[in-house]
Amino acid sequence: MRHQRFTTILILALLFQLFPLRGFAQAGFAGGLFSQTQASGSVRGTIRLADGGTPLHNVIVNLVQLQRSTETDENGAFEFQNVPPGTYTVLAHMEGFPDQTQQVRVGAGASATVDFRLRLAGLREEVTVTATGSEQSVFEAFQSVNTVDAIRLAQESHTSIGEVLDKEPGIAKRGFGPGPSRPVVRGFDGDRVLVTQDGTSTGSLSSQSGDHAEPIDVLSLERIEVVRGPATLLYGSSAIGGVVNAVTGHDYAHEGWRGYFTGVGGTTNNQGGVSGGLEYGTGRWMFWGNGSLQRTGDYDTPLGRIEQSFTRNGNGTLGVGHYGDKTFASFTYNHDRRRYGIPFASFFESGGEETGSDVSIRSRRHDFKFNGGWRNLGGFVNSFRLTLDYSDYAHDELEGDEVGTHFSNKNFMFRGVFEQSRRGRFSGSWGFAGFRRDFNTVGEETLAPPTRQNNFAVFGLQEIGFERVRFQLGGRVEHNGYDPEGALKRSFTGFSGAAGVRVGLWTDGAIVANYTHSYRAPALEELYNNGPHLGNLTFEIGNPLLRRERNDGIDLSVRHDSKRVRGAANFYYYNIQDFVFLAPTGGIEDNLIEAFYDQADSRFVGTELTFDFAAHENLWINLGYDYVNAQLKETGTPLPRIPPMRARVGLDWRYKGFDVRPEAIFVKDQDRLFPTETRTPGYALFGLTASYTRARPHYAQVFSVNAFNLGDRVYRNHLSFIKNLAPEMGRGVRFSYTVRYF
């Protein structure tokens, strides 16, 4: 009955997309979007640098609801004509600057003015493309989204994406040392959190093991976006807990040169790194390239140095694109190489007899990506985007310089999305996606047989808008098939559906409610692993008879976003049937705890609170809090590696080009423990980030310093596999310098 109900929702959503009701289309948006019977107006404005007021030319300006775009001229001016009456979101986009949005209301036959002041650092409106596949403000999105921009990424200067996102609301880091650190979203880890770059999977093996890294260079990104909560409709069953998307940009053409250079350095781990990139546009053509090198030594703690915690990263990208009025196409090649140590590996391999370690991982990835399609068509289908991506990832687990195990993972991924033109109250998108994966391992830690995995899905998302209320309906049907050598073949087909409502309660405030039914097929390692797995500190026994997971979840969010006050209160509850987890047997194999993949019903409940307000024009007070509680329902047993409760208090003082941000983070002890876990005590951390931005007509420089763990506190990350042996980094300072040419 339940599947029939959600199948009906999906069919209705697709029918709305294919056959929008003409009566509604002609009626238009009642004060919310537009009415086709009233005289059109216009939207105009200027875009300048916040520091100095220099006009910015060739800035892309989007009228989001109408899916129209234009560019600023030499004076920084832009204009949209023939705009129907209604309320719109205007979005300003320029490579190297965080996107900004503003709301504007257009009257019948009237002209509305909206001006932007772009800045590289400081508080700003956040923008996301990950939540729906098209640009919109975080405040307007149905799902809860975090964003981290390029300047923040340089100031944090970490070598892995997990270290960068740690301490963001609802996000923590899983660790086996700094190199393989990976984000945990609302307590979800592994195959339940999908990590992508520009919307497609990285093709890595980080979801399978705590000592596997993501091949993402954080210094070359435009921003990172995290959708908290199920993102299965657009991204598939591996996003049942959320999606982390690294955004590189390069979606529009511009004339002339643009570029950046970033240098970073730090104490405590002898960090050093550089990253640089150039873009050149001529006519409809764009050419770009960037590269980076970053390294760290073994890091220091108040208790001493953690041996074999070094990292070495190198990354390079080349791309070319053609962007016409109606068509666009681009091709990008990316190469990533890295090597990082695995602290205390020999300690676990020997059952605690050795404390040294010379185990490390050496990885490389080749990625080829094509993006192309049509846009601004003006018909029922306004645009179509096709993405093709081939990723060839491999890594070697080294003992000294000898290869112990070789891992290979090759993925061919495809995704096509049709964007529906807005018709009256209706807008939406639908499409198809899938991948073909070839996985293989050779060596001592060969846990699973060579396996071919095939995935295919169709999905649809429809939005219905009124003056103060918007509804969203969507569905996805997905098939996963596993074909291992010498083992049982498995095939899973499931449906995911969602329904949401967003209600404007007061000026600058809204409440958002979402219900999601999500499906997840068991992962390859859960089905077929069998043997000692140092990366998860267990002797793993897979179960090829596992059933699919099913999640029924509720997300509630109350938001406010004004010039003086910004905040959000999020609450979520997820009921997951047949949740897959590693259940210890009580035995010891190869000096590791023996555990098999079992299933039981579970529930996740939690909250996230953020509140920023201006005590003065130049002084903001920033508060935050997050908590998640997850357990097996029948026994009440807490699930492993769940983040403890956290609170954050900070200030943001800005004056001209200066920005100073002291911050304190308070973490409660985690005493809700899985049988194989140990308690981690609570702690408080104090830090300070300061920057100075120097802007000129065609370039801007940002000088930053980030001081962390100022009290030199000994503290341990509850989500770390080596928390009992290795505390986190001690007191230190990072320096960064960034120059943007435009």
Side-chain angles (χ1 to χ4, degrees):
M1 182 65 69
R2 175 180 295 168
H3 295 299
Q4 291 176 351
R5 180 169 67 252
F6 284 109
T7 302
T8 301
I9 293 174
L10 175 60
I11 293 173
L12 288 174
L14 293 175
L15 287 176
F16 280 140
Q17 291 164 343
L18 296 174
F19 307 104
L21 300 181
R22 293 184 178 274
F24 283 123
Q26 293 174 359
F29 285 72
L33 291 173
F34 63 84
S35 172
Q36 297 178 355
T37 60
Q38 295 179 292
S40 297
S42 63
V43 176
R44 60 177 61 128
T46 59
I47 300 181
R48 298 174 179 270
L49 274 174
D51 302 302
T54 303
L56 294 174
H57 61 88
N58 296 127
V59 179
I60 304 298
V61 186
N62 291 325
L63 204 57
V64 175
Q65 283 79 4
L66 297 183
Q67 300 177 17
R68 290 170 56 183
S69 63
T70 187
E71 293 186 10
T72 57
D73 59 21
E74 291 296 323
N75 298 315
F78 67 92
E79 182 176 10
F80 293 97
Q81 297 182 347
N82 300 318
V83 178
T87 301
Y88 299 93
T89 301
V90 183
L91 185 150
H93 170 86
M94 186 174 186
E95 297 289 343
F97 286 80
D99 291 349
Q100 288 192 20
T101 66
Q102 291 192 49
Q103 296 288 321
V104 62
R105 185 168 182 82
V106 180
S111 176
T113 300
V114 55
D115 296 323
F116 289 87
R117 296 294 182 266
L118 298 187
R119 63 172 66 245
L120 286 172
L123 287 171
R124 62 189 68 84
E125 172 64 29
E126 296 179 326
V127 174
T128 175
V129 298
T130 307
T132 63
S134 58
E135 291 173 312
Q136 66 176 166
S137 71
V138 167
F139 176 72
E140 294 177 323
F142 273 81
Q143 291 184 282
S144 299
V145 184
N146 298 64
T147 69
V148 180
D149 61 57
I151 297 301
R152 281 270 311 279
L153 294 175
Q155 291 173 340
E156 296 291 340
S157 308
H158 290 295
T159 57
S160 61
I161 194 169
E163 296 281 342
V164 167
L165 295 175
D166 187 30
K167 303 181 181 67
E168 287 292 306
I171 307 169
K173 67 174 181 179
R174 179 199 74 189
F176 209 129
S181 178
R182 190 177 194 266
V184 174
V185 181
R186 291 184 170 177
F188 291 100
D189 188 15
D191 186 61
R192 298 179 182 90
V193 174
L194 179 65
V195 178
T196 67
Q197 186 155 328
D198 295 323
T200 59
S201 171
T202 61
S204 76
L205 297 173
S206 70
S207 66
Q208 294 186 193
S209 180
D211 61 351
H212 294 175
E214 284 289 352
I216 292 178
D217 173 40
V218 297
L219 291 182
S220 64
L221 300 178
E222 184 175 300
R223 64 181 180 270
I224 297 176
E225 302 178 5
V226 183
V227 176
R228 291 169 289 171
T232 52
L233 292 189
L234 293 180
Y235 298 96
S237 66
S238 293
I240 196 171
V243 61
V244 177
N245 187 26
V247 181
T248 63
H250 309 302
D251 282 332
Y252 302 96
H254 61 76
E255 286 291 333
W257 290 96
R258 289 182 184 173
Y260 78 93
F261 172 82
T262 296
V264 300
T267 66
T268 310
N269 60 352
N270 296 320
Q271 180 181 14
V274 293
S275 179
L278 285 174
E279 267 187 358
Y280 177 70
T282 175
R284 308 283 189 185
W285 289 92
M286 284 281 296
F287 305 87
W288 63 86
N290 61 264
S292 67
L293 294 170
Q294 192 171 183
R295 55 91 61 202
T296 67
D298 296 337
Y299 73 85
D300 291 327
T301 78
L303 301 182
R305 179 164 296 180
I306 304 301
E307 302 293 336
Q308 206 69 10
S309 59
F310 71 89
T311 64
R312 306 283 187 272
N313 297 346
N315 189 284
T317 299
L318 292 173
V320 59
H322 184 270
Y323 303 93
D325 293 332
K326 301 290 185 181
T327 63
F328 64 96
S330 66
F331 177 81
T332 305
Y333 167 71
N334 175 264
H335 180 66
D336 185 274
R337 300 187 72 89
R338 55 190 63 214
R339 184 169 179 174
Y340 54 90
I342 307 298
F344 299 103
S346 62
F347 177 85
F348 296 110
E349 287 179 335
S350 65
E353 296 180 3
E354 301 178 28
T355 57
S357 176
D358 58 357
V359 176
S360 62
I361 288 182
R362 179 180 61 200
S363 71
R364 64 108 181 107
R365 175 180 179 251
H366 299 282
D367 185 78
F368 304 85
K369 180 172 292 186
F370 168 82
N371 273 305
W374 297 266
R375 57 189 173 192
N376 303 320
L377 299 180
F380 172 66
V381 176
N382 186 63
S383 66
F384 171 70
R385 174 183 287 266
L386 176 66
T387 301
L388 304 175
D389 186 282
Y390 176 73
S391 173
D392 180 3
Y393 172 88
H395 78 243
D396 295 321
E397 297 189 352
L398 305 175
E399 298 178 4
D401 292 324
E402 296 184 3
V403 177
T405 309
H406 175 78
F407 289 77
S408 172
N409 197 51
K410 299 179 180 180
N411 283 266
F412 173 71
M413 293 160 277
F414 58 90
R415 180 181 178 87
V417 179
F418 298 87
E419 193 79 24
Q420 171 188 326
S421 294
R422 194 170 293 275
R423 291 292 187 267
R425 304 185 189 279
F426 294 87
S427 63
S429 61
W430 66 97
F432 58 89
F435 62 84
R436 180 185 179 91
R437 173 190 182 191
D438 288 298
F439 168 81
N440 191 27
T441 60
V442 178
E444 298 176 359
E445 203 172 291
T446 300
L447 301 178
T451 303
R452 178 170 296 168
Q453 180 182 357
N454 289 295
N455 171 284
F456 181 75
V458 293
F459 56 88
L461 191 68
Q462 184 71 199
E463 189 172 309
I464 309 169
F466 296 87
E467 181 177 2
R468 300 179 66 86
V469 181
R470 288 161 48 208
F471 297 95
Q472 191 178 82
L473 297 171
R476 181 186 184 97
V477 176
E478 179 174 335
H479 170 79
N480 276 281
Y482 295 95
D483 185 7
E485 288 187 10
L488 180 67
K489 296 182 181 180
R490 292 301 308 274
S491 179
F492 304 88
T493 301
F495 173 80
S496 297
V501 59
R502 185 185 186 278
V503 182
L505 297 179
W506 60 86
T507 302
D508 301 321
I511 183 171
V512 183
N514 288 285
Y515 167 71
T516 306
H517 174 82
S518 303
Y519 136 90
R520 186 182 81 94
L524 183 150
E525 62 273 15
E526 296 167 347
L527 293 169
Y528 302 116
N529 271 12
N530 192 352
H533 191 180
L534 179 63
N536 288 340
L537 299 185
T538 53
F539 187 98
E540 293 183 11
I541 303 173
N543 182 358
L545 300 179
L546 290 173
R547 302 176 299 277
R548 63 187 182 183
E549 288 181 355
R550 290 161 294 164
N551 169 41
D552 291 288
I554 296 174
D555 286 79
L556 298 174
S557 179
V558 179
R559 305 171 186 171
H560 181 87
D561 190 352
S562 66
K563 291 183 178 180
R564 299 296 298 269
V565 179
R566 299 175 181 175
N570 303 320
F571 169 81
Y572 55 90
Y573 178 89
Y574 305 131
N575 178 43
I576 305 179
Q577 300 178 54
D578 295 324
F579 182 83
V580 179
F581 67 101
L582 272 170
T585 66
I588 299 294
E589 287 284 344
D590 290 352
N591 299 311
L592 297 172
I593 297 172
E594 184 182 73
F596 67 97
Y597 282 101
D598 198 2
Q599 291 186 289
D601 294 346
S602 69
R603 66 106 176 102
F604 286 67
V605 60
T607 186
E608 299 143 355
L609 306 174
T610 58
F611 185 63
D612 306 327
F613 65 95
H616 181 270
E617 181 181 0
N618 296 326
L619 179 64
W620 284 72
I621 298 175
N622 307 320
L623 306 175
Y625 169 86
D626 58 61
Y627 172 69
V628 58
N629 182 302
Q631 65 183 38
L632 300 176
K633 293 179 67 175
E634 183 176 354
T635 63
T637 304
L639 288 170
R641 287 188 297 279
I642 298 299
M645 182 188 301
R646 297 183 303 186
R648 174 177 59 90
V649 179
L651 300 176
D652 191 338
W653 176 76
R654 290 173 286 157
Y655 179 73
K656 295 184 177 180
F658 290 95
D659 187 4
V660 180
R661 301 194 304 273
E663 183 179 62
I665 296 176
F666 305 94
V667 181
K668 185 181 181 298
D669 64 304
Q670 182 58 288
D671 55 5
R672 289 181 51 81
L673 305 173
F674 193 67
T676 58
E677 286 189 298
T678 56
R679 174 185 174 274
T680 46
Y683 55 88
L685 297 177
F686 300 92
L688 174 71
T689 300
S691 66
Y692 173 69
T693 302
R694 183 173 183 266
R696 291 295 182 266
H698 292 288
Y699 71 93
Q701 302 176 82
V702 181
F703 304 84
S704 299
V705 58
N706 174 262
F708 53 91
N709 195 5
L710 291 175
D712 204 24
R713 179 69 183 268
V714 177
Y715 72 102
R716 301 176 190 272
N717 174 22
H718 187 71
L719 279 64
S720 171
F721 286 91
I722 56 175
K723 64 182 181 182
N724 295 328
L725 298 171
E728 298 298 297
M729 195 176 295
R731 178 170 47 227
V733 181
R734 298 188 186 93
F735 304 92
S736 68
Y737 167 76
T738 296
V739 58
R740 296 275 179 179
Y741 175 78
F742 44 86

